[in-house]
Amino acid sequence: MRTRDIRVGGTYIVNVPQRIRPAVRDRVPRNREEFAADMRLHLHRGRRFELTVTEVHAEARTVDGFESVTTSKVALPLTAEQAEALGLPEAEEAYTIEGLVLDAERMPVKLPTTLAYAGLPTRWLDPLGTPTALNDLSAAYYRYRVRQQATGMEPALIAQEAAEMLEKQREVAGRALDDYDAEEHLRIVEVQCAEWRRIELVLRVTGADRYRPEDDPDLSADDLRNPIAQED
């Protein structure tokens, strides 16, 4: 998305690539909040999330913003009187109790909160409502993972995996009609399903007794290597 089109206060879709560039990936967190954001960003690789922009850095072509999330964790600072009542020694900084909020059935209660991000590339952003799509690198990665799993498998088992993946695609497609996370997952499942069915067809045509990526007539030398590892 063009940097000049992004507005502070607006909410956008962030498309996180599988391979996060070093300038973002290798930053050293300065505090717990930055560490939590970096960990969350790592978990978002190859997926999307909604970001409300709080600042636009035009020259760097990056944005800061926050994601609305839920948590069961809470931190309760103790007053000096409470710390004294607990027999804790005096300290310059207030003591804090950290833990989970549980309901009457001892299940975690989900509380709304936000997670702040800094320095996200503007090219990762799309307007809300943009259809979910996998970039070429992510699609290549998921196809590579399917081929890894299929290596050494016999045709009957390949056919079974292809049939099960097709059923999974239909199930996820149904949930994706009104589930944002399922819509994202569907794009991945579609790629995986297509690759299983392609491998099934390759074995049927070639008559091979097991699947070997190096014998796959549809693959190039680059296809045999992890596409993520090939990126700088």
Side-chain angles (χ1 to χ4, degrees):
M1 188 170 182
R2 295 183 303 179
T3 303
R4 66 173 178 268
D5 294 333
I6 299 173
R7 298 290 180 265
V8 171
T11 301
Y12 302 88
I13 295 293
V14 180
N15 301 279
V16 185
Q18 283 286 350
R19 184 73 169 182
I20 300 176
R21 68 186 191 184
V24 177
R25 183 191 66 221
D26 298 338
R27 294 181 301 194
V28 179
R30 294 172 297 179
N31 50 50
R32 290 181 61 182
E33 289 74 19
E34 289 187 359
F35 178 79
D38 281 359
M39 290 296 294
R40 179 87 172 173
L41 191 64
H42 177 79
L43 294 175
H44 276 315
R45 289 185 308 163
R47 303 184 61 220
R48 311 194 308 168
F49 70 94
E50 294 184 8
L51 180 83
T52 299
V53 173
T54 56
E55 190 168 355
V56 178
H57 307 283
E59 292 187 3
R61 297 182 180 178
T62 62
V63 298
D64 301 341
F66 64 86
E67 177 189 10
S68 296
V69 296
T70 60
T71 183
S72 299
K73 296 180 179 180
V74 293
L76 177 65
L78 298 179
T79 65
E81 292 76 12
Q82 290 171 327
E84 182 179 359
L86 291 172
L88 299 173
E90 293 187 9
E92 294 183 2
E93 299 291 336
Y95 287 96
T96 302
I97 297 176
E98 295 185 354
L100 300 177
V101 179
L102 306 178
D103 61 19
E105 298 179 353
R106 308 298 294 171
M107 297 298 293
V109 175
K110 293 185 178 180
L111 304 172
T113 186
T114 59
L115 192 62
Y117 297 90
L120 298 184
T122 56
R123 62 183 176 82
W124 289 5
L125 271 61
D126 279 327
L128 281 179
T130 302
T132 304
L134 284 181
N135 60 44
D136 291 342
L137 179 60
S138 294
Y141 172 74
Y142 287 114
R143 287 193 293 268
Y144 171 80
R145 290 296 301 273
V146 168
R147 293 194 293 270
Q148 278 191 315
Q149 185 177 346
T151 298
M153 292 174 61
E154 298 178 352
L157 191 52
I158 293 285
Q160 179 181 336
E161 291 286 346
E164 291 178 357
M165 186 56 68
L166 181 59
E167 183 62 29
K168 180 178 181 179
Q169 178 178 322
R170 291 168 177 161
E171 184 270 328
V172 176
R175 289 192 288 111
L177 294 175
D178 55 7
D179 186 318
Y180 183 78
D181 288 337
E183 186 207 356
E184 294 183 4
H185 189 209
L186 178 60
R187 303 287 86 84
I188 297 173
V189 172
E190 288 172 339
V191 169
Q192 294 172 323
C193 182
E195 188 66 0
W196 277 111
R197 298 183 73 184
R198 186 195 66 80
I199 292 172
E200 179 186 13
L201 180 60
V202 165
L203 292 185
R204 189 181 306 149
V205 171
T206 62
D209 60 344
R210 293 179 183 275
Y211 179 70
R212 301 174 182 83
E214 60 272 21
D215 297 333
D216 191 324
D218 295 336
L219 303 183
S220 67
D222 287 341
D223 292 326
L224 299 177
R225 297 191 292 269
N226 186 337
I228 302 300
Q230 297 179 47
E231 292 289 300
D232 292 332

